[in-house]
């Protein structure tokens, strides 16, 4: 398999580390460089253009399968999650997977007055019970790439009247996302969505918005965007924009072009490409006597050989070591040649 795009990417390495940070496409780099030149020159528009934020919101809404009025923009998953954590009443029970990423867990833990209960990922749906207020989890686990049983968790939450928070940071961009199926979704866009750091998304259903206050609101959360910037906001946006953080314009300038590329290629095509390469890699690993985590994920994790990341790095192959796993992630800029090169290095160890 060849890459899905050519001229947009020119990595100097065999890059299999999108789960940590995606590569920036050339069009995003060009857009950001142009704005940086404006900033350096002191031109009027150097601070950035809000039109980029509008375009980014629109593109993510298309990727997530929801209306633009359900999407809030920001800078980090932890901040979005903290907003949801702050909306829960004292004593509320939150169910989370064991080993879940810190940005999903910590905002609930620091409250100190919530009841956190952890369950194995494959038993998450069974852990939901009457009285559970919220189930918070990642669609795809960061450490090992496992995909959660999304239908089972959604059904269990509906049965017991619990709300759901889905972190799509390790899945949006290759795994189809139906954000409307969840009360809340949070997504860091600097991985498979290929955006610069400083771009993230929160989606909320209309009903879920009734219990979340815009605690970090500033002028960008106002219904009248360019109204007087002094004093408290008198009327918040009627849409999820009331939860917007002030956008980092430089990052959003690049994100506009990155998400345009994701939409152009299409998530279904990205899913086929990335998962086929991951399947090839798993088969090759098994042939070498390794036991990768069983999954249909674009992320491949191999227990017990995390230390081999250093050998791969010495050969110009970028992967990650997470929780003892060797972790490789495949995306639109990867090819069968990347799989074969990586397996060749591992075979020689």
């Amino acid at each position: 398999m060849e890459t899905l795009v050519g001229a947009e990417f020119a990595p100097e390495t065999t890059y299999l580390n999108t789960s940590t940070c995606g590569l920036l496409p050339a069009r995003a780099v060009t857009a950001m460089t142009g704005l940086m030149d404006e900033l350096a020159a002191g031109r009027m528009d150097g601070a950035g253009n809000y039109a980029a934020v509008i375009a980014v919101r629109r593109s993510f809404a298309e990727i997530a399968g929801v209306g633009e009025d359900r999407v809030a923009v920001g800078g980090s998953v932890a901040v979005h999650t903290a907003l949801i954590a702050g909306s829960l009443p004292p004593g509320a029970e939150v169910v989370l997977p064991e080993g879940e990423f810190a940005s999903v867990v910590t905002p609930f833990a620091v409250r100190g007055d919530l009841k956190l209960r952890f369950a194995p990922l494959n038993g998450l749906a069974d852990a939901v019970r009457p009285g559970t207020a919220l189930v918070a989890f990642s669609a795809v686990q960061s450490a090992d790439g496992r995909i959660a049983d999304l239908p089972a968790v959604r059904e269990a939450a509906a049965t017991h009247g619990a709300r759901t928070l889905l972190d799509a940071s390790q899945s949006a961009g290759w795994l189809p996302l139906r954000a409307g199926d969840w009360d809340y979704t949070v997504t860091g866009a600097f991985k498979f969505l290929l955006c610069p750091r400083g771009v993230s998304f929160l989606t909320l259903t209309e009903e879920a918005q009734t219990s979340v206050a815009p605690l970090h609101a500033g002028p960008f959360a106002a219904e009248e965007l360019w109204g007087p910037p002094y004093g408290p906001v008198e009327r918040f946006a009627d849409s999820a924009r009331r939860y917007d953080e002030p956008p980092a314009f430089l990052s959003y300038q690049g994100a506009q072009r990155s998400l345009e590329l994701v939409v152009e290629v299409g998530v279904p095509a990205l899913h086929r490409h990335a998962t086929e390469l991951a399947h090839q890699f798993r088969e090759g690993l098994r042939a070498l006597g390794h036991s990768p985590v069983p999954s249909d994920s674009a992320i491949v994790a191999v227990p017990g050989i995390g230390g081999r990341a250093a050998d791969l790095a010495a050969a110009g192959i970028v992967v990650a070591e997470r929780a003892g796993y060797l972790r490789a992630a495949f995306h639109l800029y990867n090819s069968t040649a990347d799989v074969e090169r990586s397996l060749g290095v591992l075979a020689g160890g």
Side-chain angles (χ1 to χ4, degrees):
M1 295 176 65
E2 299 299 322
T3 64
L4 288 184
V5 289
E8 288 287 353
F9 300 95
E12 298 177 355
T13 63
T14 298
Y15 192 80
L16 302 177
N17 200 23
T18 301
S19 282
T20 299
C21 187
L23 298 180
L24 288 177
R27 65 179 74 180
V29 174
T30 298
M32 295 176 72
T33 301
L35 179 54
M36 290 172 68
D37 289 342
E38 294 270 341
L39 287 165
R43 299 191 186 115
M44 285 279 297
D45 294 332
N49 189 339
Y50 192 77
V53 180
I54 294 172
V56 166
R57 194 192 313 270
R58 181 180 302 120
S59 291
F60 183 75
E62 182 175 349
I63 292 166
V66 294
E68 296 173 46
D69 60 338
R70 295 290 178 266
V71 179
V73 301
S76 77
V77 162
V79 172
H80 294 314
T81 305
L83 189 67
I84 306 309
S87 74
L88 296 176
E93 179 181 271
V94 181
V95 174
L96 305 111
E98 297 170 350
E100 181 57 77
F101 197 74
S103 295
V104 179
V105 178
T106 307
F108 297 104
V110 297
R111 273 279 304 262
D113 60 354
L114 300 176
K115 181 177 181 180
L116 273 59
R117 194 155 53 83
F118 294 88
L121 184 66
N122 59 7
L124 190 63
D126 294 333
V128 183
R129 62 189 182 185
T132 299
L134 180 74
V135 188
F137 68 109
S138 295
V140 174
Q141 287 293 297
S142 170
D144 59 19
R146 286 179 298 158
I147 304 173
D149 189 342
L150 303 182
V153 175
R154 187 169 59 246
E155 181 179 352
T159 297
H160 296 295
R163 282 186 170 163
T164 51
L165 186 156
L166 182 79
D167 182 355
S169 297
Q170 293 287 1
S171 58
W174 71 267
L175 186 68
L177 172 61
R178 294 171 52 185
D181 289 348
W182 312 95
D183 294 285
Y184 316 104
T185 72
V186 292
T187 305
F190 63 91
K191 300 178 186 292
F192 292 89
L193 290 177
L194 309 174
C195 295
R197 281 184 177 268
V199 177
S200 63
F201 304 101
L202 166 69
T203 72
L204 312 88
T205 63
E206 186 173 1
E207 194 278 330
Q209 291 181 40
T210 62
S211 61
V212 180
L215 295 178
H216 52 54
F220 286 97
E223 178 64 24
E224 185 183 357
L225 263 178
W226 309 118
Y230 307 107
V233 172
E234 295 183 359
R235 181 189 171 193
F236 290 108
D238 292 330
S239 67
R241 187 167 60 76
R242 77 185 74 165
Y243 305 111
D244 277 10
E245 297 176 60
F249 279 118
L250 183 60
S251 293
Y252 275 79
Q253 192 83 4
Q256 177 181 0
R257 304 307 177 192
S258 294
L259 293 186
E260 283 176 358
L261 176 62
V262 173
V263 171
E264 285 173 14
V265 177
V267 173
L270 290 172
H271 179 267
R272 286 191 301 272
H273 183 80
T275 55
E276 286 178 14
L277 289 173
H279 175 74
Q280 292 176 20
F281 191 48
R282 286 191 190 91
E283 289 298 302
L285 288 164
R286 293 188 185 101
L288 294 176
H290 300 298
S291 300
V293 174
S295 180
D296 293 324
S297 177
I299 302 167
V300 180
V302 195
I305 64 167
R308 297 298 306 278
D311 298 331
L312 290 163
I317 302 169
V318 184
V319 296
E321 179 182 1
R322 292 291 185 272
Y325 294 95
L326 179 77
R327 189 187 70 183
F330 296 88
H331 204 19
L332 76 172
Y333 36 65
N334 296 122
S335 67
T336 297
D338 296 338
V339 173
E340 294 173 346
R341 186 164 183 236
S342 303
L343 291 172
V345 172
L346 292 172

